Amino acid sequence: METQRQRKIAGVIQKDIVAILQKAAIEGGLRGTLISVSKVSVTTDLSIAKVYISIFPTEQAKELLEGIKSNQPLIKHELSQRTRNQLRRVPELLFYLDDSLDYIEKIEKSLKGEENPIENRDLLPRRKKS
């Protein structure tokens, strides 16, 4: 169960990281790429923040996530400059790719009947014989 303080800090971090990443994407020449922070969760001791990022188009998502992870110290420094009056210590940032929208899209395709596993047995995972 998240405390009120954890939720407030997560909201501040989410808002500022969105601004930092969008600014970096525009300056880096990624005009057609949309980077959004879907969720931030902070641990109870406020030392670690897990940041879930959605990147569109998804073809470049893994490469951009690796670039974001490699620039984590610079992002943390920029975040500390933006939140110096709100946070005493900036938590360690851990970035994860949020693929929940792709998962939802696959479920919707299955429900609409575009990919019917009953008619096309190749969609089902193979069972391992023990």
Side-chain angles (χ1 to χ4, degrees):
M1 185 84 186
E2 271 190 332
T3 63
Q4 183 70 21
R5 182 171 172 81
Q6 285 175 289
R7 284 193 293 270
K8 283 183 180 180
I9 290 175
V12 168
I13 290 172
Q14 182 176 4
K15 181 183 66 122
D16 287 333
I17 285 185
V18 165
I20 292 168
L21 292 178
Q22 286 294 339
K23 179 182 167 193
I26 291 171
E27 288 176 357
L30 299 173
R31 295 240 182 242
T33 304
L34 177 67
I35 301 173
S36 65
V37 178
S38 56
K39 183 181 177 185
V40 175
S41 61
V42 182
T43 57
T44 55
D45 62 350
L46 308 176
S47 64
I48 298 173
K50 294 181 181 180
V51 181
Y52 295 92
I53 298 176
S54 295
I55 301 173
F56 297 103
T58 57
E59 293 84 31
Q60 303 170 353
K62 294 201 186 288
E63 294 126 20
L64 286 174
L65 183 66
E66 291 303 317
I68 289 170
K69 284 182 179 179
S70 66
N71 289 322
Q72 187 265 344
L74 296 172
I75 294 170
K76 184 176 177 181
H77 176 71
E78 179 70 25
L79 183 64
S80 69
Q81 295 299 315
R82 288 175 179 253
T83 61
R84 67 176 161 237
N85 296 329
Q86 297 165 329
L87 298 176
R88 193 173 292 162
R89 279 189 58 209
V90 175
E92 191 67 31
L93 301 174
L94 301 176
F95 292 98
Y96 298 98
L97 192 61
D98 184 19
D99 58 351
S100 60
L101 294 177
D102 295 333
Y103 182 71
I104 291 170
E105 185 178 341
K106 287 179 184 177
I107 290 174
E108 285 180 355
K109 281 184 182 178
S110 295
L111 291 174
K112 287 181 182 176
E114 295 174 12
E115 295 178 355
N116 191 350
I118 294 173
E119 294 174 3
N120 186 1
R121 292 283 186 188
D122 295 331
L123 295 174
L124 295 173
R126 297 286 179 204
R127 292 186 184 169
K128 294 181 182 177
K129 295 181 180 179
S130 49

